[in-house]
Amino acid sequence: MSENRQYENEYKVQAVKLAKKIGAVKVANELQIPVNTLYGWIRKVKIGSLDIGCGERSPEESLNIAEENQQLRKQIKALEKKTNA
């Protein structure tokens, strides 16, 4: 049976940064972590639930986050109007 390990957030961040440079499979092998675990961390970075720091996102990732923020602001304004009406 496999052991359910917990990893520190900074460990995840550094692993993802390294994976962007040399590839996920190589990093997973080097760090002796399951490659699917690393892919999960990479996915979390893409959706914004794992912050790897300023300047580390691709332009596409930044654009997706900016679009989502804009949509959320519109939803908040609509809800505020509805509440105040």
Side-chain angles (χ1 to χ4, degrees):
M1 186 179 273
S2 66
E3 181 182 331
N4 190 12
R5 292 194 53 196
Q6 297 292 319
Y7 298 94
E8 295 289 326
N9 198 53
E10 185 60 25
Y11 184 84
K12 295 176 187 181
V13 168
Q14 294 303 318
V16 170
K17 286 180 180 181
L18 189 57
K20 286 185 171 199
K21 291 179 182 175
I22 66 172
V25 173
K26 189 170 183 178
V27 170
N29 288 335
E30 289 287 324
L31 299 177
Q32 298 181 347
I33 58 174
V35 71
N36 288 335
T37 298
L38 183 55
Y39 283 138
W41 299 342
I42 293 168
R43 183 178 48 79
K44 285 184 177 185
V45 167
K46 287 181 181 178
I47 63 172
S49 65
L50 178 61
D51 186 13
I52 61 171
C54 184
E56 296 291 336
R57 298 189 188 284
S58 71
E60 294 82 18
E61 291 169 342
S62 296
L63 184 58
N64 288 339
I65 291 171
E67 288 173 350
E68 183 180 357
N69 284 340
Q70 187 177 28
Q71 290 173 352
L72 290 171
R73 285 188 193 107
K74 287 180 183 178
Q75 289 175 356
I76 289 170
K77 283 184 181 182
L79 288 171
E80 286 174 344
K81 282 184 182 179
K82 200 175 195 182
T83 304
N84 293 332

